[in-house]
Amino acid sequence: MIVKLLAATALLILPASAPSQLASGYSGQAGVTYGTEDDYWWALQQLGSCLAMAKRRDSTSLLSAPVHSRDATAAFKRLVGKETSCLRWFTAMRVAEVDLRGSIAEALYEAQLTSVPSPAPVPEQAALPLGEARKMGSYGIIRSFASCFAAAYPDKVHGLLATTKLGSRKEKEMLGGFSEEIGSCLPRNIQFDVPPAQLRLALAEAIYERSRGALSAQVSP
């Protein structure tokens, strides 16, 4: 089992206060500049926090639907349409559905902590068999791993979300310190490469799903 924590590819961000100049590769478009990788993760965390509060129904609809399903795509489009008020210091941003899901999930998880106890760990949680994991592809493996890790080590996921910022150096250091526990949730002889911030986003969605299950159990007769 090999896990690599990679640097994420910086995506294009259009700052609201961009200087009047042409960006490389965007000939003829004045005022366009590239944001850094740090800009992207900061903007994503702000975006998820804002949408989780301002568009709660669409946010929960996105997380309730399977990834890339028709319902998830519809909710995603309602959330990120042409409205840019949640972008704060930016006027436009390219963001993937899976990244937005994790950012919103983290915000919703934090919002419900006062009313929902942290789920108890499930020590017997096991990684998927190697053959089944390979059929899922790299993204499926990451989601399966995150579900296993959030079930077995909820306190570690909670600590990561509570004490680090998305895309920060401390986040990467904490995830690097989870190497032994990470191995317990991956099949042997499998390798996947994932940026630390995207691993955190997958863990955020997984712990949110677990806490939502705990909330449902509380309100059930």
Side-chain angles (χ1 to χ4, degrees):
M1 184 278 300
I2 303 175
V3 178
K4 294 181 181 178
L5 300 181
L6 306 177
T9 301
L11 301 186
L12 173 66
I13 302 176
L14 310 179
S17 58
S20 181
Q21 61 184 25
L22 298 180
S24 174
Y26 285 81
S27 178
Q29 297 183 23
V32 178
T33 61
Y34 284 97
T36 65
E37 181 180 322
D38 288 343
D39 289 334
Y40 175 71
W41 296 126
W42 180 87
L44 178 64
Q45 191 157 45
Q46 299 300 314
L47 179 64
S49 296
C50 180
L51 290 175
M53 300 300 107
K55 295 186 176 182
R56 178 68 66 92
R57 179 176 296 180
D58 289 332
S59 293
T60 54
S61 293
L62 175 67
L63 296 176
S64 298
V67 178
H68 300 319
S69 65
R70 181 178 298 179
D71 288 344
T73 299
F76 180 75
K77 288 180 177 179
R78 291 194 300 270
L79 285 165
V80 300
K82 296 182 179 180
E83 183 181 339
T84 59
S85 60
C86 279
L87 286 182
R88 306 294 171 84
W89 297 106
F90 302 94
T91 57
M93 179 179 179
R94 293 175 183 170
V95 59
E97 178 194 320
V98 292
D99 286 354
L100 187 62
R101 289 176 71 107
S103 181
I104 288 175
E106 180 171 345
L108 291 175
Y109 171 72
E110 292 175 351
Q112 68 185 21
L113 284 180
T114 56
S115 57
V116 183
S118 179
V122 183
E124 67 272 15
Q125 184 75 27
L128 282 177
L130 179 60
E132 187 175 347
R134 283 179 171 164
K135 291 179 183 178
M136 299 174 68
S138 59
Y139 179 67
I141 292 173
I142 292 171
R143 287 186 63 83
S144 173
F145 156 78
S147 295
C148 172
F149 196 93
Y153 308 103
D155 289 346
K156 289 187 178 295
V157 179
H158 176 81
L160 175 72
L161 302 184
T163 63
T164 70
K165 295 293 185 182
L166 181 63
S168 65
R169 179 179 297 180
K170 186 177 180 182
E171 171 193 80
K172 185 175 182 179
E173 291 173 350
M174 284 193 69
L175 285 169
F178 295 167
S179 57
E180 182 176 344
E181 293 85 355
I182 285 175
S184 70
C185 278
L186 285 173
R188 292 183 179 276
N189 303 317
I190 198 166
Q191 174 178 343
F192 74 102
D193 300 340
V194 55
Q198 289 182 336
L199 185 58
R200 175 220 188 91
L201 293 170
L203 290 170
E205 185 171 354
I207 196 70
Y208 167 72
E209 289 174 353
R210 289 206 70 220
S211 63
R212 186 175 59 179
L215 178 61
S216 298
Q218 275 192 342
V219 299
S220 297

